Amino acid sequence: MSDPAGPTLRDRLRRTPAFGADLPTFEPDDAPDAPHALFEEWVLGAIDAGAPAPQAMTVSTRGADGSVSARVVVLKDVTAEGWHFATDARSRKVQDLTADAAVAATFYWPTLARQVRLTGRAHPAGAEASAADFRERSPASRGAALATRPGEPLGSHAELVAAIDEATARADADRALVLPEWQLWVVVPDEIEFWQGSPERAHVRAVYRKESTGWTRTRLWP
Ligand SMILES: Cc1cc2nc3c(=O)[nH]c(=O)nc-3n(C[C@H](O)[C@H](O)[C@H](O)COP(=O)(O)O)c2cc1C
């Protein structure tokens, strides 16, 4: 709780700057023809600049009942096919995407004041790619994935820790062990927006849209 005599939460939020001063620039006129190349440039720039969790991707979905939800996942790769992430087939996001493939994915690199927004559709990458992704995980990550029962009520934290210990030992003993519910998913965008914040508030915004002839690129008012 904040000190009742001190500044309010509202004051603190208003006084906290959203961006730093030393920001990169973005010139859409010089950007690559395909958004994949620009995204790669930006995510590599975020990694090289030491941005925290540069691979964090917020995936937003819509369920069969129309309810929406969003959560952070780890970006595994970007290929000509799309943006890859891995998850458990029993999770809400997979239930949502199975009912409705429409998806949005968002990246934000705060120290660079850069945001990327994708919208499109998602599909599973297939059993082989999913198993390969699972096998590439560390024993601890495989153990954690094997132990969990996504979204089910959990009695205590100790129960989780014991389940992870037991599953990690199994994963350690058997390199070939794969969680059947492990799924690699691919987000295939039809629109990608790149946004570069500016200390002068002249933010730069450009959107790529997929047309039958290829990608178009348009500068937008921020
Ligand atoms: C930084 C970060 C990375 C995460 N990476 C993943 C991931 O790669 N896959 C995943 O299923 N959940 C990941 N999670 C957990 C999800 O955000 C989410 O809590 C979980 O997948 C359940 O989501 P759902 O019930 O909406 O499907 C991550 C969370 C954070 C904060």
Side-chain angles (χ1 to χ4, degrees):
M1 285 291 285
S2 56
D3 174 2
T8 62
L9 170 62
R10 186 170 182 275
D11 292 335
R12 296 288 306 276
L13 291 169
R14 290 176 74 93
R15 281 183 215 151
T16 301
F19 315 123
D22 185 20
L23 299 178
T25 55
F26 170 42
E27 179 41 70
D29 292 344
D30 300 336
D33 290 338
H36 301 64
L38 183 56
F39 181 86
E40 192 171 324
E41 225 174 81
W42 277 31
V43 76
L44 287 174
I47 293 168
D48 292 341
Q55 71 283 62
M57 168 166 85
T58 300
V59 171
S60 305
T61 56
R62 183 171 52 202
D65 62 357
S67 62
V68 293
S69 65
R71 76 290 289 156
V72 176
V73 299
V74 163
L75 175 70
K76 289 295 184 92
D77 200 5
V78 179
T79 64
E81 197 188 359
W83 276 244
H84 300 239
F85 71 92
T87 194
D88 190 303
R90 295 165 292 180
S91 64
R92 174 173 178 175
K93 68 183 92 48
V94 170
Q95 289 167 26
D96 284 2
L97 289 170
T98 305
D100 182 344
V103 68
T106 317
F107 294 85
Y108 175 47
W109 300 300
T111 48
L112 302 172
R114 283 183 163 175
Q115 173 181 248
V116 180
R117 300 162 64 191
L118 296 81
T119 50
R121 299 176 72 75
H123 64 81
E128 209 170 297
S130 300
D133 180 81
F134 190 81
R135 281 193 290 265
E136 274 174 21
R137 292 166 68 86
S138 68
S141 301
R142 281 182 284 135
L146 283 163
T148 196
R149 306 205 295 264
E152 284 186 29
L154 170 65
S156 71
H157 189 66
E159 206 181 309
L160 170 66
V161 172
I164 291 176
D165 285 349
E166 181 275 327
T168 303
R170 273 194 293 135
D172 253 339
D174 182 0
R175 283 286 318 169
L177 185 62
V178 168
L179 176 69
E181 287 87 3
W182 194 249
Q183 288 188 340
L184 196 63
W185 278 76
V186 190
V187 173
V188 182
D190 46 39
E191 194 171 299
I192 308 188
E193 180 190 298
F194 292 83
W195 188 97
Q196 172 67 64
S198 131
E200 294 79 36
R201 300 294 183 270
H203 309 310
V204 180
R205 194 174 166 199
V207 65
Y208 288 81
R209 293 197 181 96
K210 199 180 343 184
E211 310 287 352
S212 54
T213 48
W215 290 96
T216 61
R217 188 170 72 244
T218 311
R219 190 191 288 262
L220 301 177
W221 282 83

